[in-house]
Amino acid sequence: AREAQGFRGMPSGLFDPETRQVYIYTNAIKSPERAVWTALHEIAGHDGLRALLGKDLDSALDLAVQNPTVKAIADAIYAERKMQAEVARGARGETAQRRIAVEEALAELAAAVRTGDFARIEFRYGVPVGEGVRAKVERSLTAFIVRLRKLFNDLLAGQGLPRYFSDEDVRALLE
């Protein structure tokens, strides 16, 4: 699966959506800070998004990529992991590969927001996240959470269930 997504070498962490298990590979991590980042990336990013959105994940990713910072990081991830080569080989479609990159970008931003280490984003992906942009990213993530809450509550209402998720509930699920 990692090869199909353009990965090479040992990952520092992995989220298995089938089992909802997060794996942290300590032999690939050089510092406690990196271990925390990896755990937050996998748990707050991947598991949180999938647990909250389920079958609606793709729609949420399509919404998230409209944010310029998310798009820039996703584009860098797409290039870094050579995802276009997988599209060319027919292994996965362009839309699916782009959504994987957006999910990875959101997972990275979730880790940056939680650790306060936005410098890692610029170092790794060449996307500067200055003070003004950091506040904007936090506001964008907050707006994204508000939209997710509305989407989730609308889904519940469509099933005849009461609406009960607050923004804080959605944030907690993402974390």
Side-chain angles (χ1 to χ4, degrees), residues 105-168:
L106 290 174
E108 288 288 84
L109 284 167
V113 167
R114 297 303 294 160
T115 63
D117 187 2
F118 288 92
R120 186 180 301 266
I121 299 287
E122 183 170 7
F123 178 77
R124 175 92 188 262
Y125 304 110
V127 178
V129 187
E131 290 298 325
V133 175
R134 291 175 195 190
K136 184 177 179 181
V137 167
E138 181 60 36
R139 284 191 309 273
S140 295
L141 288 174
T142 298
F144 181 64
I145 286 170
V146 168
R147 289 178 176 178
L148 290 177
R149 176 193 36 85
K150 182 180 179 331
L151 174 69
F152 199 64
N153 284 334
D154 287 349
L155 290 171
L156 291 172
Q159 298 295 317
L161 299 170
R163 298 177 187 201
Y164 65 93
F165 276 85
S166 68
D167 293 350
E168 293 77 26

Short mmCIF file of all heavy atoms in Angstrom, two decimals, residues 105-168:
data_model
loop_
_atom_site.label_atom_id
_atom_site.label_comp_id
_atom_site.label_asym_id
_atom_site.label_seq_id
_atom_site.Cartn_x
_atom_site.Cartn_y
_atom_site.Cartn_z
N ALA A 105 -1.93 16.34 4.09
CA ALA A 105 -1.71 17.75 4.43
C ALA A 105 -2.49 18.12 5.69
O ALA A 105 -1.95 18.79 6.59
CB ALA A 105 -2.13 18.64 3.26
N LEU A 106 -3.73 17.68 5.79
CA LEU A 106 -4.53 17.97 6.98
C LEU A 106 -3.93 17.29 8.22
O LEU A 106 -3.93 17.89 9.30
CB LEU A 106 -5.97 17.52 6.78
CG LEU A 106 -6.79 18.34 5.79
CD1 LEU A 106 -8.15 17.69 5.57
CD2 LEU A 106 -6.93 19.78 6.25
N ALA A 107 -3.43 16.09 8.05
CA ALA A 107 -2.80 15.40 9.18
C ALA A 107 -1.55 16.14 9.63
O ALA A 107 -1.30 16.29 10.83
CB ALA A 107 -2.48 13.95 8.80
N GLU A 108 -0.77 16.65 8.68
CA GLU A 108 0.42 17.43 9.03
C GLU A 108 0.03 18.73 9.73
O GLU A 108 0.65 19.10 10.73
CB GLU A 108 1.24 17.74 7.77
CG GLU A 108 1.97 16.54 7.20
CD GLU A 108 3.14 16.12 8.07
OE1 GLU A 108 2.91 15.36 9.04
OE2 GLU A 108 4.28 16.53 7.79
N LEU A 109 -0.99 19.41 9.23
CA LEU A 109 -1.43 20.64 9.87
C LEU A 109 -2.01 20.38 11.25
O LEU A 109 -1.81 21.18 12.17
CB LEU A 109 -2.44 21.37 8.98
CG LEU A 109 -1.83 22.10 7.80
CD1 LEU A 109 -2.90 22.52 6.81
CD2 LEU A 109 -1.01 23.29 8.26
N ALA A 110 -2.70 19.27 11.42
CA ALA A 110 -3.22 18.92 12.75
C ALA A 110 -2.07 18.76 13.73
O ALA A 110 -2.14 19.25 14.87
CB ALA A 110 -4.05 17.64 12.67
N ALA A 111 -1.00 18.11 13.30
CA ALA A 111 0.17 17.95 14.16
C ALA A 111 0.82 19.30 14.44
O ALA A 111 1.23 19.57 15.58
CB ALA A 111 1.17 16.99 13.52
N ALA A 112 0.90 20.17 13.43
CA ALA A 112 1.51 21.49 13.62
C ALA A 112 0.69 22.34 14.58
O ALA A 112 1.24 23.01 15.46
CB ALA A 112 1.66 22.20 12.28
N VAL A 113 -0.62 22.31 14.44
CA VAL A 113 -1.48 23.08 15.34
C VAL A 113 -1.33 22.60 16.77
O VAL A 113 -1.20 23.39 17.70
CB VAL A 113 -2.96 23.02 14.88
CG1 VAL A 113 -3.91 23.53 15.96
CG2 VAL A 113 -3.15 23.81 13.60
N ARG A 114 -1.30 21.30 16.97
CA ARG A 114 -1.23 20.74 18.32
C ARG A 114 0.13 20.94 18.96
O ARG A 114 0.24 21.11 20.16
CB ARG A 114 -1.60 19.25 18.31
CG ARG A 114 -3.02 18.97 17.88
CD ARG A 114 -4.07 19.67 18.72
NE ARG A 114 -4.04 19.15 20.07
CZ ARG A 114 -4.53 19.76 21.12
NH1 ARG A 114 -5.08 20.92 20.99
NH2 ARG A 114 -4.47 19.21 22.31
N THR A 115 1.22 20.91 18.15
CA THR A 115 2.57 21.07 18.71
C THR A 115 3.06 22.51 18.65
O THR A 115 4.02 22.85 19.34
CB THR A 115 3.59 20.19 17.95
OG1 THR A 115 3.66 20.65 16.60
CG2 THR A 115 3.23 18.72 18.02
N GLY A 116 2.45 23.32 17.81
CA GLY A 116 2.92 24.68 17.60
C GLY A 116 4.15 24.74 16.71
O GLY A 116 4.76 25.79 16.54
N ASP A 117 4.54 23.62 16.12
CA ASP A 117 5.75 23.53 15.31
C ASP A 117 5.41 23.65 13.82
O ASP A 117 5.46 22.68 13.07
CB ASP A 117 6.47 22.22 15.59
CG ASP A 117 7.82 22.13 14.91
OD1 ASP A 117 8.23 23.11 14.25
OD2 ASP A 117 8.47 21.07 15.02
N PHE A 118 5.08 24.88 13.40
CA PHE A 118 4.78 25.13 11.99
C PHE A 118 6.05 25.16 11.16
O PHE A 118 6.00 25.00 9.94
CB PHE A 118 4.00 26.43 11.85
CG PHE A 118 2.59 26.32 12.33
CD1 PHE A 118 2.26 26.63 13.64
CD2 PHE A 118 1.58 25.90 11.48
CE1 PHE A 118 0.96 26.53 14.09
CE2 PHE A 118 0.28 25.80 11.92
CZ PHE A 118 -0.04 26.11 13.23
N ALA A 119 7.19 25.35 11.80
CA ALA A 119 8.46 25.37 11.07
C ALA A 119 8.71 24.02 10.38
O ALA A 119 9.33 23.98 9.31
CB ALA A 119 9.61 25.69 12.01
N ARG A 120 8.22 22.96 10.96
CA ARG A 120 8.39 21.64 10.34
C ARG A 120 7.69 21.57 8.98
O ARG A 120 8.18 20.92 8.06
CB ARG A 120 7.86 20.55 11.27
CG ARG A 120 8.15 19.15 10.77
CD ARG A 120 7.60 18.08 11.70
NE ARG A 120 8.14 18.15 13.04
CZ ARG A 120 9.19 17.46 13.46
NH1 ARG A 120 9.82 16.65 12.65
NH2 ARG A 120 9.60 17.58 14.70
N ILE A 121 6.56 22.26 8.85
CA ILE A 121 5.84 22.29 7.58
C ILE A 121 6.70 22.97 6.51
O ILE A 121 6.86 22.47 5.41
CB ILE A 121 4.48 23.02 7.72
CG1 ILE A 121 3.57 22.32 8.74
CG2 ILE A 121 3.80 23.18 6.36
CD1 ILE A 121 2.97 21.04 8.32
N GLU A 122 7.26 24.12 6.87
CA GLU A 122 8.09 24.85 5.90
C GLU A 122 9.35 24.05 5.56
O GLU A 122 9.74 23.95 4.39
CB GLU A 122 8.47 26.23 6.42
CG GLU A 122 9.26 27.02 5.40
CD GLU A 122 9.46 28.46 5.78
OE1 GLU A 122 9.11 28.86 6.90
OE2 GLU A 122 9.97 29.20 4.92
N PHE A 123 9.99 23.47 6.57
CA PHE A 123 11.21 22.70 6.35
C PHE A 123 10.94 21.51 5.42
O PHE A 123 11.68 21.26 4.48
CB PHE A 123 11.77 22.22 7.69
CG PHE A 123 13.00 21.37 7.54
CD1 PHE A 123 14.22 21.94 7.26
CD2 PHE A 123 12.92 19.99 7.68
CE1 PHE A 123 15.36 21.15 7.12
CE2 PHE A 123 14.04 19.20 7.54
CZ PHE A 123 15.27 19.78 7.26
N ARG A 124 9.87 20.80 5.69
CA ARG A 124 9.58 19.57 4.94
C ARG A 124 8.99 19.84 3.57
O ARG A 124 9.34 19.18 2.59
CB ARG A 124 8.63 18.70 5.76
CG ARG A 124 8.13 17.44 5.06
CD ARG A 124 9.01 16.27 5.35
NE ARG A 124 8.67 15.11 4.56
CZ ARG A 124 7.91 14.11 4.99
NH1 ARG A 124 7.43 14.11 6.20
NH2 ARG A 124 7.67 13.09 4.20
N TYR A 125 8.06 20.80 3.47
CA TYR A 125 7.29 20.98 2.24
C TYR A 125 7.55 22.29 1.52
O TYR A 125 7.01 22.51 0.44
CB TYR A 125 5.78 20.85 2.54
CG TYR A 125 5.47 19.53 3.19
CD1 TYR A 125 5.09 19.47 4.51
CD2 TYR A 125 5.58 18.34 2.47
CE1 TYR A 125 4.82 18.26 5.13
CE2 TYR A 125 5.32 17.12 3.08
CZ TYR A 125 4.95 17.09 4.41
OH TYR A 125 4.69 15.88 5.00
N GLY A 126 8.36 23.17 2.13
CA GLY A 126 8.65 24.44 1.49
C GLY A 126 7.46 25.39 1.50
O GLY A 126 7.42 26.31 0.70
N VAL A 127 6.52 25.15 2.38
CA VAL A 127 5.35 26.01 2.49
C VAL A 127 5.48 26.81 3.78
O VAL A 127 5.34 26.25 4.87
CB VAL A 127 4.04 25.19 2.50
CG1 VAL A 127 2.83 26.10 2.67
CG2 VAL A 127 3.92 24.35 1.23
N PRO A 128 5.80 28.10 3.65
CA PRO A 128 5.94 28.91 4.87
C PRO A 128 4.60 29.10 5.55
O PRO A 128 3.58 29.32 4.90
CB PRO A 128 6.50 30.23 4.37
CG PRO A 128 6.14 30.29 2.93
CD PRO A 128 6.02 28.87 2.44
N VAL A 129 4.63 28.98 6.85
CA VAL A 129 3.42 29.20 7.66
C VAL A 129 3.81 30.25 8.69
O VAL A 129 4.11 29.94 9.84
CB VAL A 129 2.93 27.89 8.32
CG1 VAL A 129 1.59 28.11 9.00
CG2 VAL A 129 2.81 26.76 7.29
N GLY A 130 3.84 31.52 8.24
CA GLY A 130 4.20 32.63 9.12
C GLY A 130 3.13 32.88 10.16
O GLY A 130 2.07 32.26 10.15
N GLU A 131 3.43 33.83 11.05
CA GLU A 131 2.50 34.12 12.16
C GLU A 131 1.09 34.43 11.65
O GLU A 131 0.12 33.93 12.18
CB GLU A 131 3.03 35.27 13.01
CG GLU A 131 4.26 34.92 13.82
CD GLU A 131 4.01 33.82 14.83
OE1 GLU A 131 2.91 33.75 15.42
OE2 GLU A 131 4.93 33.01 15.04
N GLY A 132 1.00 35.30 10.66
CA GLY A 132 -0.32 35.64 10.12
C GLY A 132 -1.01 34.44 9.51
O GLY A 132 -2.21 34.24 9.68
N VAL A 133 -0.23 33.64 8.78
CA VAL A 133 -0.79 32.45 8.15
C VAL A 133 -1.17 31.41 9.21
O VAL A 133 -2.19 30.74 9.08
CB VAL A 133 0.19 31.86 7.12
CG1 VAL A 133 -0.33 30.57 6.53
CG2 VAL A 133 0.47 32.88 6.02
N ARG A 134 -0.37 31.32 10.26
CA ARG A 134 -0.69 30.37 11.34
C ARG A 134 -2.06 30.68 11.93
O ARG A 134 -2.87 29.78 12.14
CB ARG A 134 0.36 30.43 12.44
CG ARG A 134 1.68 29.90 12.01
CD ARG A 134 2.73 30.09 13.07
NE ARG A 134 4.04 29.88 12.47
CZ ARG A 134 5.14 29.79 13.14
NH1 ARG A 134 5.15 29.90 14.45
NH2 ARG A 134 6.28 29.58 12.52
N ALA A 135 -2.29 31.95 12.20
CA ALA A 135 -3.59 32.35 12.74
C ALA A 135 -4.68 32.04 11.72
O ALA A 135 -5.76 31.56 12.08
CB ALA A 135 -3.58 33.83 13.10
N LYS A 136 -4.37 32.29 10.44
CA LYS A 136 -5.35 32.00 9.40
C LYS A 136 -5.60 30.50 9.30
O LYS A 136 -6.74 30.07 9.12
CB LYS A 136 -4.85 32.55 8.05
CG LYS A 136 -5.84 32.38 6.93
CD LYS A 136 -5.33 33.00 5.65
CE LYS A 136 -6.33 32.78 4.54
NZ LYS A 136 -5.88 33.34 3.28
N VAL A 137 -4.53 29.69 9.40
CA VAL A 137 -4.70 28.24 9.36
C VAL A 137 -5.57 27.79 10.53
O VAL A 137 -6.50 26.99 10.36
CB VAL A 137 -3.33 27.51 9.39
CG1 VAL A 137 -3.50 26.03 9.66
CG2 VAL A 137 -2.60 27.73 8.08
N GLU A 138 -5.31 28.34 11.72
CA GLU A 138 -6.13 27.98 12.88
C GLU A 138 -7.57 28.39 12.65
O GLU A 138 -8.49 27.62 12.94
CB GLU A 138 -5.58 28.63 14.16
CG GLU A 138 -6.35 28.28 15.40
CD GLU A 138 -6.41 26.80 15.75
OE1 GLU A 138 -5.42 26.08 15.53
OE2 GLU A 138 -7.47 26.35 16.24
N ARG A 139 -7.78 29.59 12.10
CA ARG A 139 -9.15 30.03 11.79
C ARG A 139 -9.77 29.14 10.72
O ARG A 139 -10.94 28.78 10.80
CB ARG A 139 -9.18 31.49 11.35
CG ARG A 139 -9.02 32.49 12.47
CD ARG A 139 -9.31 33.91 12.04
NE ARG A 139 -8.61 34.35 10.85
CZ ARG A 139 -7.40 34.89 10.83
NH1 ARG A 139 -6.74 35.08 11.96
NH2 ARG A 139 -6.84 35.25 9.69
N SER A 140 -8.96 28.79 9.71
CA SER A 140 -9.46 27.91 8.64
C SER A 140 -9.83 26.54 9.19
O SER A 140 -10.84 25.97 8.83
CB SER A 140 -8.43 27.77 7.53
OG SER A 140 -8.23 28.99 6.89
N LEU A 141 -8.96 26.03 10.07
CA LEU A 141 -9.27 24.74 10.69
C LEU A 141 -10.52 24.85 11.56
O LEU A 141 -11.36 23.95 11.57
CB LEU A 141 -8.08 24.23 11.50
CG LEU A 141 -6.89 23.75 10.69
CD1 LEU A 141 -5.73 23.40 11.60
CD2 LEU A 141 -7.25 22.57 9.81
N THR A 142 -10.66 25.98 12.24
CA THR A 142 -11.86 26.20 13.04
C THR A 142 -13.09 26.27 12.13
O THR A 142 -14.12 25.65 12.43
CB THR A 142 -11.73 27.49 13.88
OG1 THR A 142 -10.61 27.32 14.77
CG2 THR A 142 -12.99 27.78 14.68
N ALA A 143 -12.96 26.99 11.01
CA ALA A 143 -14.07 27.06 10.06
C ALA A 143 -14.37 25.68 9.48
O ALA A 143 -15.54 25.30 9.29
CB ALA A 143 -13.76 28.05 8.94
N PHE A 144 -13.31 24.90 9.22
CA PHE A 144 -13.49 23.54 8.72
C PHE A 144 -14.24 22.71 9.75
O PHE A 144 -15.15 21.95 9.41
CB PHE A 144 -12.11 22.95 8.41
CG PHE A 144 -12.14 21.56 7.85
CD1 PHE A 144 -12.74 21.30 6.63
CD2 PHE A 144 -11.57 20.51 8.54
CE1 PHE A 144 -12.76 20.01 6.11
CE2 PHE A 144 -11.58 19.23 8.03
CZ PHE A 144 -12.18 18.98 6.80
N ILE A 145 -13.89 22.86 11.02
CA ILE A 145 -14.58 22.14 12.09
C ILE A 145 -16.04 22.54 12.15
O ILE A 145 -16.92 21.69 12.30
CB ILE A 145 -13.86 22.35 13.44
CG1 ILE A 145 -12.56 21.54 13.44
CG2 ILE A 145 -14.74 21.97 14.62
CD1 ILE A 145 -11.63 21.83 14.58
N VAL A 146 -16.32 23.83 12.00
CA VAL A 146 -17.71 24.30 12.00
C VAL A 146 -18.48 23.65 10.85
O VAL A 146 -19.60 23.17 11.01
CB VAL A 146 -17.77 25.84 11.92
CG1 VAL A 146 -19.18 26.33 11.63
CG2 VAL A 146 -17.25 26.45 13.21
N ARG A 147 -17.84 23.62 9.67
CA ARG A 147 -18.49 22.99 8.51
C ARG A 147 -18.69 21.49 8.74
O ARG A 147 -19.72 20.93 8.36
CB ARG A 147 -17.66 23.22 7.25
CG ARG A 147 -17.71 24.65 6.77
CD ARG A 147 -16.84 24.82 5.55
NE ARG A 147 -16.95 26.16 5.01
CZ ARG A 147 -16.26 26.58 3.97
NH1 ARG A 147 -15.42 25.78 3.37
NH2 ARG A 147 -16.42 27.81 3.54
N LEU A 148 -17.68 20.85 9.32
CA LEU A 148 -17.81 19.42 9.61
C LEU A 148 -18.95 19.17 10.61
O LEU A 148 -19.71 18.22 10.46
CB LEU A 148 -16.50 18.86 10.17
CG LEU A 148 -15.35 18.75 9.20
CD1 LEU A 148 -14.11 18.23 9.91
CD2 LEU A 148 -15.70 17.85 8.04
N ARG A 149 -19.03 20.04 11.64
CA ARG A 149 -20.11 19.90 12.62
C ARG A 149 -21.46 20.00 11.93
O ARG A 149 -22.35 19.19 12.14
CB ARG A 149 -20.00 20.95 13.71
CG ARG A 149 -21.19 20.88 14.69
CD ARG A 149 -21.33 22.08 15.61
NE ARG A 149 -20.99 23.37 15.09
CZ ARG A 149 -21.84 24.15 14.39
NH1 ARG A 149 -23.05 23.75 14.10
NH2 ARG A 149 -21.44 25.33 13.99
N LYS A 150 -21.59 21.00 11.06
CA LYS A 150 -22.85 21.18 10.35
C LYS A 150 -23.15 19.97 9.47
O LYS A 150 -24.27 19.44 9.48
CB LYS A 150 -22.82 22.45 9.50
CG LYS A 150 -24.13 22.72 8.78
CD LYS A 150 -24.06 23.99 7.96
CE LYS A 150 -25.33 24.30 7.21
NZ LYS A 150 -26.17 23.22 6.80
N LEU A 151 -22.14 19.50 8.73
CA LEU A 151 -22.32 18.32 7.88
C LEU A 151 -22.72 17.12 8.71
O LEU A 151 -23.67 16.40 8.37
CB LEU A 151 -21.01 18.04 7.13
CG LEU A 151 -20.97 16.76 6.30
CD1 LEU A 151 -21.88 16.88 5.09
CD2 LEU A 151 -19.54 16.49 5.85
N PHE A 152 -22.02 16.90 9.81
CA PHE A 152 -22.30 15.76 10.66
C PHE A 152 -23.70 15.85 11.26
O PHE A 152 -24.47 14.89 11.24
CB PHE A 152 -21.24 15.66 11.76
CG PHE A 152 -21.16 14.32 12.40
CD1 PHE A 152 -20.78 13.21 11.67
CD2 PHE A 152 -21.46 14.16 13.74
CE1 PHE A 152 -20.70 11.96 12.26
CE2 PHE A 152 -21.38 12.92 14.33
CZ PHE A 152 -21.01 11.82 13.60
N ASN A 153 -24.05 17.02 11.77
CA ASN A 153 -25.37 17.19 12.36
C ASN A 153 -26.48 17.10 11.31
O ASN A 153 -27.56 16.56 11.59
CB ASN A 153 -25.46 18.51 13.13
CG ASN A 153 -24.75 18.43 14.47
OD1 ASN A 153 -24.62 17.36 15.06
ND2 ASN A 153 -24.29 19.56 14.97
N ASP A 154 -26.22 17.58 10.11
CA ASP A 154 -27.20 17.44 9.02
C ASP A 154 -27.40 15.97 8.67
O ASP A 154 -28.52 15.54 8.39
CB ASP A 154 -26.77 18.23 7.79
CG ASP A 154 -26.93 19.74 7.96
OD1 ASP A 154 -27.55 20.18 8.96
OD2 ASP A 154 -26.40 20.47 7.09
N LEU A 155 -26.32 15.22 8.67
CA LEU A 155 -26.43 13.78 8.41
C LEU A 155 -27.28 13.10 9.48
O LEU A 155 -28.11 12.25 9.19
CB LEU A 155 -25.04 13.13 8.35
CG LEU A 155 -24.20 13.48 7.14
CD1 LEU A 155 -22.78 12.96 7.32
CD2 LEU A 155 -24.81 12.91 5.88
N LEU A 156 -27.04 13.49 10.73
CA LEU A 156 -27.83 12.92 11.82
C LEU A 156 -29.30 13.30 11.67
O LEU A 156 -30.19 12.45 11.83
CB LEU A 156 -27.31 13.41 13.18
CG LEU A 156 -25.95 12.87 13.60
CD1 LEU A 156 -25.48 13.58 14.86
CD2 LEU A 156 -26.01 11.38 13.81
N ALA A 157 -29.56 14.56 11.35
CA ALA A 157 -30.94 15.02 11.19
C ALA A 157 -31.61 14.28 10.03
O ALA A 157 -32.80 13.94 10.11
CB ALA A 157 -30.97 16.53 10.96
N GLY A 158 -30.85 14.02 8.98
CA GLY A 158 -31.38 13.28 7.83
C GLY A 158 -31.78 11.86 8.17
O GLY A 158 -32.61 11.25 7.50
N GLN A 159 -31.20 11.35 9.24
CA GLN A 159 -31.53 10.01 9.71
C GLN A 159 -32.60 10.05 10.81
O GLN A 159 -32.89 9.02 11.42
CB GLN A 159 -30.28 9.30 10.24
CG GLN A 159 -29.19 9.10 9.20
CD GLN A 159 -29.64 8.16 8.10
OE1 GLN A 159 -30.25 7.14 8.35
NE2 GLN A 159 -29.37 8.53 6.87
N GLY A 160 -33.11 11.25 11.05
CA GLY A 160 -34.12 11.39 12.09
C GLY A 160 -33.56 11.39 13.50
O GLY A 160 -34.29 11.21 14.46
N LEU A 161 -32.25 11.60 13.62
CA LEU A 161 -31.60 11.60 14.92
C LEU A 161 -31.40 13.04 15.38
O LEU A 161 -31.28 13.95 14.55
CB LEU A 161 -30.25 10.88 14.84
CG LEU A 161 -30.32 9.41 14.42
CD1 LEU A 161 -28.93 8.88 14.14
CD2 LEU A 161 -31.02 8.59 15.49
N PRO A 162 -31.31 13.26 16.69
CA PRO A 162 -31.12 14.63 17.17
C PRO A 162 -29.72 15.14 16.83
O PRO A 162 -28.76 14.39 16.78
CB PRO A 162 -31.29 14.51 18.68
CG PRO A 162 -31.00 13.08 18.98
CD PRO A 162 -31.42 12.30 17.77
N ARG A 163 -29.63 16.44 16.60
CA ARG A 163 -28.33 17.09 16.38
C ARG A 163 -27.73 17.36 17.75
O ARG A 163 -28.37 17.96 18.59
CB ARG A 163 -28.52 18.39 15.64
CG ARG A 163 -29.11 18.22 14.28
CD ARG A 163 -29.35 19.56 13.65
NE ARG A 163 -30.06 19.40 12.40
CZ ARG A 163 -30.08 20.29 11.44
NH1 ARG A 163 -29.43 21.41 11.58
NH2 ARG A 163 -30.74 20.07 10.35
N TYR A 164 -26.50 16.94 17.93
CA TYR A 164 -25.91 17.15 19.26
C TYR A 164 -24.42 17.42 19.25
O TYR A 164 -23.83 17.59 20.29
CB TYR A 164 -26.21 15.95 20.16
CG TYR A 164 -25.57 14.65 19.69
CD1 TYR A 164 -24.34 14.27 20.18
CD2 TYR A 164 -26.20 13.85 18.77
CE1 TYR A 164 -23.74 13.09 19.76
CE2 TYR A 164 -25.62 12.68 18.34
CZ TYR A 164 -24.40 12.30 18.85
OH TYR A 164 -23.82 11.15 18.42
N PHE A 165 -23.79 17.50 18.11
CA PHE A 165 -22.35 17.73 18.09
C PHE A 165 -22.04 19.22 18.13
O PHE A 165 -22.53 19.99 17.31
CB PHE A 165 -21.71 17.11 16.84
CG PHE A 165 -21.41 15.66 17.01
CD1 PHE A 165 -22.37 14.71 16.76
CD2 PHE A 165 -20.16 15.25 17.45
CE1 PHE A 165 -22.11 13.37 16.93
CE2 PHE A 165 -19.88 13.92 17.63
CZ PHE A 165 -20.86 12.97 17.37
N SER A 166 -21.20 19.61 19.06
CA SER A 166 -20.69 20.98 19.15
C SER A 166 -19.36 21.05 18.43
O SER A 166 -18.78 20.02 18.07
CB SER A 166 -20.51 21.39 20.61
OG SER A 166 -19.45 20.64 21.18
N ASP A 167 -18.85 22.27 18.24
CA ASP A 167 -17.52 22.42 17.64
C ASP A 167 -16.47 21.71 18.49
O ASP A 167 -15.56 21.07 17.97
CB ASP A 167 -17.15 23.90 17.52
CG ASP A 167 -18.02 24.65 16.52
OD1 ASP A 167 -18.80 23.98 15.78
OD2 ASP A 167 -17.92 25.87 16.46
N GLU A 168 -16.60 21.82 19.81
CA GLU A 168 -15.64 21.16 20.70
C GLU A 168 -15.72 19.64 20.56
O GLU A 168 -14.69 18.96 20.61
CB GLU A 168 -15.90 21.56 22.16
CG GLU A 168 -15.61 23.03 22.45
CD GLU A 168 -16.71 23.97 21.94
OE1 GLU A 168 -17.88 23.54 21.81
OE2 GLU A 168 -16.39 25.13 21.66
#
